[in-house]
Structures are given as C-alpha cells and as structure tokens.
Amino acid sequence: MKLKTKDFLTLSELSPKEFLNLIDFSIKLKKTSIKPLLKNKSLTMIFQKPSTRTRVSFEIAMFQLGGHAVNLSSNEMQLSRGESIEDTAKTLSRYTDCIMARVYDHSLLEHLSAHSTVPVINGLSDSFHPCQILADFMTIKERKGKINDLKIAWIGDGNNVCHSMIYGCALSKSSMFIATPKGFEPDKKVVKEGSNHTEIVVTNDPKFAVSDADVVVSDTFTSIHNRDLKRKKQFLPKYQVNQTLMENAKSDSIFMHCLPAKREEEVTSSVIDGSQSVVWDEAENRLHTQKALLASLIRA
Ligand code: CP
Ligand code: NVA
C-alpha cells in the first residue's frame, strides 16, 4: 500500500482507512518472513534528543527491508554550525529516500518537510509522537481484536504522546479520557480537533478517567523537553498508575507505556511488570509499524 501523504508528522495526515490499513499491514509484516520491500533504499535519521527504541527500531527496520539507515546526531551536523534547515533538507534529499528526525521544536519538522523532496517522518517532537501511536494501536488490535469503540484512559501529563494518542483515538473512533493535574492538560487545539471525530474528555480525576477503561496509558511526568525537574511533585501520588487505580478499569484492561518509564513514579513496578502490562509488545511493535510506514511512504 502507498499513503497519499508525502510526510508523517502528526498522524492527522492519515485517513481512518489508511490508519487501519497500516496497522493491518504491520500485523502481516510481523507474521511474514522478511521481505526486501525497500531494497537499496536509504533512510537518514537526525536526532536532537536521546533515543533507544526509535533509533534501533528504525535502523533494524531498514535493514530487514533490504535498505540502509544513516544515523546522525544533530550536534555532529553542519546544522550545529548554522547551516540552514532548507539547505540541509535539499542536500539530504539528493542522497537519501526518506528523512526521520527527532527534534525539540515541531516547526523544524515542518520546515524540513517543506524543503525536502523525500518523505519526512516525525520520530518525536515536543508536540507529537505519531510513530509511537501506530505501535500502540497495533498492540491494541492484537490484544482487543479491534481499535474502535474502546475506552482509552490517559493518566499523567498531557504531553506529546498524549497529543498523538488523541489523533489515534480520532482515527479509530475510540473514546479517550485524559486525567492530568491542573495546568498539565493537553493542547486545547488538539483536544478540539480530536473532539470533532470522537469523545475526548479532559478531567483532573484519574479514578473517573480509568473507570471501565479497556486501555490505561501513562508516560513519564517529565519529558525530555521539560526543564523543570521538580514538576513530578505536582503529579504524585494522585496520578500514579498503581494496582488500586487499575482496579477501576475493566478486568481485562491492558496497561500501556511508550517507555522509558520511571518505576514508582508514573507507574508502579507491580503494574508495569504485571499481567495486564503489554509494554514489551508495544516496544516490539515499533519495529513492525515503522516497517509498514517506511514501505508505504518511500516511493519506488
Ligand atoms: N518510546 C520511545 O520513543 O522510546 P525512545 O525514546 O527510546 O526512542
Ligand atoms: N513524553 C516523552 C516520550 C519519550 C519517548 C518525551 O518526550 O520525553
């Protein structure tokens, strides 16, 4: 399958059908033996921030598809000495078939996309993390047999992953209940866009959000871009996902976390290492969904 969009920056580029097809394609790729769908193609990866999963899963994805990945830390590039995004995008487009970038400011990705002739993939920005949500909905489909008509509870910070989860819920038509402390709610514009397609509820009450949920999701209280390391005090103990909170969700609910996690902060060890946790499938599925994404974006 080929996607209509050139780039993958927020998830809102996809139609509901493309989203579902990408997930089904990922599940198929997970089951089939390795196919060289991107023989001799290349991906260039730019990292302004640290990464374990994104870096390794993209590199292995290109290897398994018969292509090659080049990894660049932005501070080793001429970007760090003042070369413009425009000139970087134009240069890389002459060498590579796709660019994946993990950045602070989301507008840098838009800039890259505007000046590159090859697809640009968001490998996480301060505002969104769409690749994570592809893997999350693949995991939900594997566990629940569907991605629609579910109740998804987000507990903690209304951050970049939360924003992409809102778009994922909008595409899948599952409802999303988001519980954050006051002042940590997701961006109102993203909530409004999501609400045009599905039920998005923002509350300060984690117990209410988790009540009868099919899926409970958390993420660190302090993201890479957050400067204030004391902010976690505003989340604890109320917004920690622990066994007591999980008891309010459906008995067959699953727990998800994009990782890396801070055990005993946003989630207890008993939940993340417990029987309802699917975090290792979620991490593995980054590989399969990114293979599907790369094969669907990169032109022959
Ligand atoms: N979930 C995720 O994106 O992990 P990394 O920061 O390790 O890439
Ligand atoms: N919200 C986290 C996700 C890490 C994968 C961050 O931006 O640091």
PDB file of all heavy atoms in Angstrom, residues 102 124 129 159-161 219-220 223-225 258-260, ligand 2:
ATOM      1  N   ARG A 102      14.103  13.409  15.067  1.00  0.00           N
ATOM      2  CA  ARG A 102      13.610  13.601  16.446  1.00  0.00           C
ATOM      3  C   ARG A 102      14.097  14.978  16.883  1.00  0.00           C
ATOM      4  O   ARG A 102      15.305  15.210  16.959  1.00  0.00           O
ATOM      5  CB  ARG A 102      14.135  12.497  17.363  1.00  0.00           C
ATOM      6  CG  ARG A 102      13.892  12.800  18.829  1.00  0.00           C
ATOM      7  CD  ARG A 102      14.115  11.622  19.737  1.00  0.00           C
ATOM      8  NE  ARG A 102      13.020  10.678  19.650  1.00  0.00           N
ATOM      9  CZ  ARG A 102      12.755   9.752  20.570  1.00  0.00           C
ATOM     10  NH1 ARG A 102      13.505   9.653  21.635  1.00  0.00           N
ATOM     11  NH2 ARG A 102      11.751   8.927  20.424  1.00  0.00           N
ATOM     12  N   LEU A 124       9.524  11.954  16.966  1.00  0.00           N
ATOM     13  CA  LEU A 124       9.167  12.614  18.243  1.00  0.00           C
ATOM     14  C   LEU A 124       9.573  14.088  18.179  1.00  0.00           C
ATOM     15  O   LEU A 124      10.704  14.412  17.794  1.00  0.00           O
ATOM     16  CB  LEU A 124       9.833  11.966  19.468  1.00  0.00           C
ATOM     17  CG  LEU A 124       9.494  12.556  20.855  1.00  0.00           C
ATOM     18  CD1 LEU A 124       9.461  11.469  21.937  1.00  0.00           C
ATOM     19  CD2 LEU A 124      10.473  13.645  21.248  1.00  0.00           C
ATOM     20  N   HIS A 129       4.183  12.485  18.881  1.00  0.00           N
ATOM     21  CA  HIS A 129       4.999  11.263  18.709  1.00  0.00           C
ATOM     22  C   HIS A 129       4.150  10.223  17.940  1.00  0.00           C
ATOM     23  O   HIS A 129       3.747   9.214  18.490  1.00  0.00           O
ATOM     24  CB  HIS A 129       5.416  10.728  20.081  1.00  0.00           C
ATOM     25  CG  HIS A 129       6.516   9.705  20.042  1.00  0.00           C
ATOM     26  ND1 HIS A 129       7.176   9.344  18.882  1.00  0.00           N
ATOM     27  CD2 HIS A 129       7.076   8.956  21.037  1.00  0.00           C
ATOM     28  CE1 HIS A 129       8.084   8.434  19.162  1.00  0.00           C
ATOM     29  NE2 HIS A 129       8.051   8.173  20.443  1.00  0.00           N
ATOM     30  N   ASN A 159       0.981  15.402  27.318  1.00  0.00           N
ATOM     31  CA  ASN A 159       2.218  15.720  26.570  1.00  0.00           C
ATOM     32  C   ASN A 159       2.140  15.334  25.092  1.00  0.00           C
ATOM     33  O   ASN A 159       1.062  15.078  24.551  1.00  0.00           O
ATOM     34  CB  ASN A 159       3.409  15.047  27.272  1.00  0.00           C
ATOM     35  CG  ASN A 159       3.301  13.517  27.248  1.00  0.00           C
ATOM     36  OD1 ASN A 159       2.458  12.946  26.544  1.00  0.00           O
ATOM     37  ND2 ASN A 159       4.147  12.853  28.014  1.00  0.00           N
ATOM     38  N   ASN A 160       3.324  15.279  24.467  1.00  0.00           N
ATOM     39  CA  ASN A 160       3.433  14.941  23.041  1.00  0.00           C
ATOM     40  C   ASN A 160       2.785  13.591  22.692  1.00  0.00           C
ATOM     41  O   ASN A 160       2.068  13.462  21.696  1.00  0.00           O
ATOM     42  CB  ASN A 160       4.918  14.971  22.611  1.00  0.00           C
ATOM     43  CG  ASN A 160       5.873  14.273  23.576  1.00  0.00           C
ATOM     44  OD1 ASN A 160       5.459  13.669  24.565  1.00  0.00           O
ATOM     45  ND2 ASN A 160       7.175  14.341  23.289  1.00  0.00           N
ATOM     46  N   VAL A 161       3.036  12.572  23.520  1.00  0.00           N
ATOM     47  CA  VAL A 161       2.467  11.230  23.240  1.00  0.00           C
ATOM     48  C   VAL A 161       0.945  11.287  23.421  1.00  0.00           C
ATOM     49  O   VAL A 161       0.191  10.718  22.622  1.00  0.00           O
ATOM     50  CB  VAL A 161       3.113  10.159  24.158  1.00  0.00           C
ATOM     51  CG1 VAL A 161       2.585   8.776  23.814  1.00  0.00           C
ATOM     52  CG2 VAL A 161       4.637  10.180  24.014  1.00  0.00           C
ATOM     53  N   ASP A 219       2.741   7.904  30.878  1.00  0.00           N
ATOM     54  CA  ASP A 219       4.065   8.270  30.353  1.00  0.00           C
ATOM     55  C   ASP A 219       4.770   9.049  31.476  1.00  0.00           C
ATOM     56  O   ASP A 219       4.119   9.451  32.453  1.00  0.00           O
ATOM     57  CB  ASP A 219       3.886   9.148  29.095  1.00  0.00           C
ATOM     58  CG  ASP A 219       5.206   9.455  28.388  1.00  0.00           C
ATOM     59  OD1 ASP A 219       6.237   8.832  28.727  1.00  0.00           O
ATOM     60  OD2 ASP A 219       5.214  10.341  27.496  1.00  0.00           O
ATOM     61  N   THR A 220       6.046   9.268  31.323  1.00  0.00           N
ATOM     62  CA  THR A 220       6.785   9.987  32.374  1.00  0.00           C
ATOM     63  C   THR A 220       6.167  11.364  32.642  1.00  0.00           C
ATOM     64  O   THR A 220       5.613  11.992  31.740  1.00  0.00           O
ATOM     65  CB  THR A 220       8.254  10.208  31.949  1.00  0.00           C
ATOM     66  OG1 THR A 220       8.252  10.726  30.615  1.00  0.00           O
ATOM     67  CG2 THR A 220       9.043   8.933  31.997  1.00  0.00           C
ATOM     68  N   SER A 223       9.102  14.946  30.515  1.00  0.00           N
ATOM     69  CA  SER A 223       9.584  14.574  29.182  1.00  0.00           C
ATOM     70  C   SER A 223      10.959  15.181  28.931  1.00  0.00           C
ATOM     71  O   SER A 223      11.393  16.064  29.683  1.00  0.00           O
ATOM     72  CB  SER A 223       8.602  15.074  28.120  1.00  0.00           C
ATOM     73  OG  SER A 223       7.456  14.271  28.101  1.00  0.00           O
ATOM     74  N   ILE A 224      11.600  14.736  27.853  1.00  0.00           N
ATOM     75  CA  ILE A 224      12.964  15.206  27.557  1.00  0.00           C
ATOM     76  C   ILE A 224      13.010  16.741  27.486  1.00  0.00           C
ATOM     77  O   ILE A 224      13.954  17.361  27.956  1.00  0.00           O
ATOM     78  CB  ILE A 224      13.492  14.616  26.224  1.00  0.00           C
ATOM     79  CG1 ILE A 224      13.429  13.088  26.228  1.00  0.00           C
ATOM     80  CG2 ILE A 224      14.916  15.096  25.935  1.00  0.00           C
ATOM     81  CD1 ILE A 224      13.639  12.437  24.864  1.00  0.00           C
ATOM     82  N   HIS A 225      11.950  17.356  26.939  1.00  0.00           N
ATOM     83  CA  HIS A 225      11.982  18.810  26.729  1.00  0.00           C
ATOM     84  C   HIS A 225      11.586  19.609  27.973  1.00  0.00           C
ATOM     85  O   HIS A 225      11.666  20.836  27.953  1.00  0.00           O
ATOM     86  CB  HIS A 225      11.081  19.194  25.552  1.00  0.00           C
ATOM     87  CG  HIS A 225       9.644  18.815  25.730  1.00  0.00           C
ATOM     88  ND1 HIS A 225       9.176  17.549  25.481  1.00  0.00           N
ATOM     89  CD2 HIS A 225       8.584  19.532  26.149  1.00  0.00           C
ATOM     90  CE1 HIS A 225       7.885  17.510  25.722  1.00  0.00           C
ATOM     91  NE2 HIS A 225       7.489  18.694  26.135  1.00  0.00           N
ATOM     92  N   CYS A 258       4.837   4.118  26.629  1.00  0.00           N
ATOM     93  CA  CYS A 258       5.737   4.160  25.468  1.00  0.00           C
ATOM     94  C   CYS A 258       7.171   3.793  25.834  1.00  0.00           C
ATOM     95  O   CYS A 258       7.940   3.407  24.971  1.00  0.00           O
ATOM     96  CB  CYS A 258       5.682   5.530  24.814  1.00  0.00           C
ATOM     97  SG  CYS A 258       6.269   6.876  25.864  1.00  0.00           S
ATOM     98  N   LEU A 259       7.535   3.939  27.123  1.00  0.00           N
ATOM     99  CA  LEU A 259       8.903   3.726  27.620  1.00  0.00           C
ATOM    100  C   LEU A 259       9.836   4.807  27.048  1.00  0.00           C
ATOM    101  O   LEU A 259       9.604   5.229  25.920  1.00  0.00           O
ATOM    102  CB  LEU A 259       9.429   2.329  27.275  1.00  0.00           C
ATOM    103  CG  LEU A 259       8.573   1.150  27.761  1.00  0.00           C
ATOM    104  CD1 LEU A 259       9.173  -0.170  27.242  1.00  0.00           C
ATOM    105  CD2 LEU A 259       8.441   1.109  29.280  1.00  0.00           C
ATOM    106  N   PRO A 260      10.839   5.264  27.736  1.00  0.00           N
ATOM    107  CA  PRO A 260      11.295   4.721  29.020  1.00  0.00           C
ATOM    108  C   PRO A 260      10.370   5.135  30.163  1.00  0.00           C
ATOM    109  O   PRO A 260       9.773   6.210  30.116  1.00  0.00           O
ATOM    110  CB  PRO A 260      12.679   5.356  29.185  1.00  0.00           C
ATOM    111  CG  PRO A 260      12.601   6.650  28.427  1.00  0.00           C
ATOM    112  CD  PRO A 260      11.702   6.385  27.271  1.00  0.00           C
TER     113      PRO A 260
HETATM  114  N1  NVA B   2       6.979  12.096  26.502  1.00  0.00           N
HETATM  115  C1  NVA B   2       8.287  11.505  26.402  1.00  0.00           C
HETATM  116  C2  NVA B   2       8.266  10.361  25.429  1.00  0.00           C
HETATM  117  C3  NVA B   2       9.578   9.647  25.300  1.00  0.00           C
HETATM  118  C4  NVA B   2       9.521   8.548  24.263  1.00  0.00           C
HETATM  119  C5  NVA B   2       9.312  12.534  25.987  1.00  0.00           C
HETATM  120  O1  NVA B   2       9.043  13.368  25.114  1.00  0.00           O
HETATM  121  O2  NVA B   2      10.394  12.535  26.577  1.00  0.00           O
END
